[in-house]
Amino acid sequence: MLLLTLSLTLSAQRHYTAVSYNCENLFDVHHDTLKHDMDFLPVGERHWTFSRYRQKLNDIGKTIVQCGGEGTDWSLPDLVALMEVENDSVLHDLVYHSMLRGAYYRYTMTCSPDVRGIDVALLYNPFRIQLLHSEQIVIPPMPQQRPTRNILHATLRTALGDTLHTFIVHAPSRSGGAALTEPYRLLVCDRLLSKIDSLRTTSVMPHILIMGDFNDYSYNKSIKNIVSAGFTEISSHAVGKFHPDDVLGTYCYQHHWESLDHIFISPNIVSLQCFIHDAPWLLESDEAGHMHPRRTFLGPHYHGGVSDHLPLVLHFLFQEK
């Protein structure tokens, strides 16, 4: 009985949960003179007030907590990749002054040249994960395109001594046309894979986890290039946990579910389960009965939802050596 208990405890320790979530414009209410964030001010077009900001922080925190499961199966997610977060003060408020304040998360994030000031970030559970090193992979701007977000590379170590390289991506949007902007997303992919190639030359079979909003679908070249580099797109068939027949992607456009968000794992990581967290309170239905995420804004108008994306959740293990 003692051996069985120890075995189950060790299995639980080796079981990790990662979340990837685009927060849809998680801005504070203060103007950064170096960024175009004027819409997200109390006097801006979107009338972004402190109370709305605090509500969004709590809703994002609640969503992250719920991604850990339910009942006796619940555990705090170990890693949370966030896209569309404005700055360090926003991350500080999320971690220390929202529903997450009792989780004791730590974080690291980028400082990108994106004109609006949005970045990517990683929350990690310090009781299970140690941050060894964090760096940004700079994406040079392309002609006729606005500067985009840098890639975040975090080198982590688990309590059991496994090292994990985590990459968080928020690729350039499709604004202006998918074909016109595709070379920019391919550049992001090239920079990502170049860094991974260098890791593979200095480390024997590194554990690698890639998460984020790639603004491309599984059939697009950027995603196929990552898969061709030896990664499994573990999120390719993810569906909603609560509405598996209806929620077939993380993003809904014109009543059609697709996934711009993706999670990739290296061959030495074992996926136990990957799904979309589609709690009913994150969704709404239109007059025709079509379900979609309840977003924060409809155009410039405040709508009161959490995000126009739903989070991906991955349960995984490290392959035994």
Side-chain angles (χ1 to χ4, degrees):
M1 181 61 70
L2 177 59
L3 289 175
L4 177 59
T5 302
L6 289 174
S7 176
L8 291 174
T9 301
L10 185 60
S11 176
Q13 288 175 342
R14 292 187 179 279
H15 176 185
Y16 298 92
T17 301
V19 176
S20 181
Y21 194 21
N22 183 316
C23 299
E24 189 200 353
N25 296 319
L26 183 51
F27 282 81
D28 62 22
V29 297
H30 307 292
H31 176 45
D32 183 339
T33 57
L34 299 177
K35 300 296 181 180
H36 297 172
D37 62 354
M38 288 75 73
D39 287 348
F40 290 91
L41 298 174
V43 295
E45 182 182 17
R46 302 194 183 207
H47 303 289
W48 189 235
T49 63
F50 184 74
S51 62
R52 291 176 176 180
Y53 169 58
R54 291 302 295 249
Q55 180 63 51
K56 186 168 176 97
L57 285 174
N58 279 319
D59 286 344
I60 295 292
K62 178 181 176 181
T63 303
I64 291 170
V65 169
Q66 289 185 344
C67 284
E70 301 171 285
T72 57
D73 292 330
W74 179 86
S75 63
L76 189 69
D78 300 289
L79 300 169
V80 183
L82 299 176
M83 284 63 68
E84 292 200 19
V85 290
E86 185 184 13
N87 51 38
D88 182 84
S89 66
V90 168
L91 264 294
H92 184 274
D93 287 345
L94 178 64
V95 169
Y96 297 107
H97 301 293
S98 78
M99 285 188 64
L100 286 181
R101 60 187 175 273
Y104 302 105
Y105 274 121
R106 300 293 183 266
Y107 65 88
T108 182
M109 68 181 303
T110 57
C111 183
S112 302
D114 179 273
V115 295
R116 293 197 302 138
I118 59 174
D119 279 291
V120 301
L122 175 69
L123 308 184
Y124 60 94
N125 179 353
F127 301 105
R128 303 248 296 159
I129 303 285
Q130 176 188 6
L131 177 65
L132 299 179
H133 179 67
S134 178
E135 65 175 337
Q136 302 181 64
I137 301 172
V138 177
I139 309 300
M142 294 189 70
Q144 311 304 316
Q145 300 289 344
R146 298 189 303 179
T148 191
R149 281 73 55 177
N150 295 336
I151 299 170
L152 178 62
H153 171 212
T155 306
L156 308 163
R157 179 170 293 158
T158 72
L160 294 175
D162 294 300
T163 300
L164 175 65
H165 293 275
T166 301
F167 293 88
I168 302 175
V169 176
H170 187 187
S173 77
R174 295 175 158 235
S175 178
L180 181 66
T181 55
E182 183 181 43
Y184 210 177
R185 291 187 292 279
L186 289 173
L187 173 63
V188 170
C189 175
D190 288 344
R191 289 297 173 113
L192 169 68
L193 294 178
S194 177
K195 178 62 181 182
I196 289 172
D197 284 342
S198 67
L199 284 178
R200 286 171 167 168
T201 62
T202 58
S203 176
V204 179
M205 289 289 289
H207 297 97
I208 299 174
L209 175 64
I210 306 169
M211 300 185 284
D213 179 351
F214 290 77
N215 273 308
D216 266 338
Y217 304 116
S218 296
Y219 53 79
N220 289 125
K221 189 175 180 180
S222 67
I223 306 303
K224 289 183 175 180
N225 285 352
I226 297 174
V227 173
S228 296
F231 291 92
T232 300
E233 185 198 348
I234 208 65
S235 58
S236 59
H237 300 295
V239 297
K241 179 180 180 180
F242 299 95
H243 310 87
D245 296 326
D246 299 312
V247 175
L248 307 177
T250 58
Y251 185 82
C252 190
Y253 179 68
Q254 295 183 344
H255 312 311
H256 184 60
W257 286 97
E258 282 281 10
S259 284
L260 299 169
D261 310 281
H262 306 272
I263 297 179
F264 305 87
I265 56 175
S266 56
N268 50 5
I269 293 178
V270 179
S271 170
L272 300 176
Q273 185 184 26
C274 186
F275 60 87
I276 299 164
H277 180 70
D278 60 335
W281 71 282
L282 296 175
L283 301 166
E284 63 182 356
S285 297
D286 60 20
E287 295 179 354
H290 297 114
M291 191 178 294
H292 52 84
R294 179 172 171 79
R295 56 193 303 169
T296 307
F297 286 94
L298 294 176
H301 305 291
Y302 182 67
H303 189 58
V306 186
S307 176
D308 54 350
H309 289 243
L310 295 173
L312 281 168
V313 182
L314 170 67
H315 296 302
F316 68 96
L317 296 170
F318 293 102
Q319 193 175 74
E320 292 187 12
K321 300 175 182 179

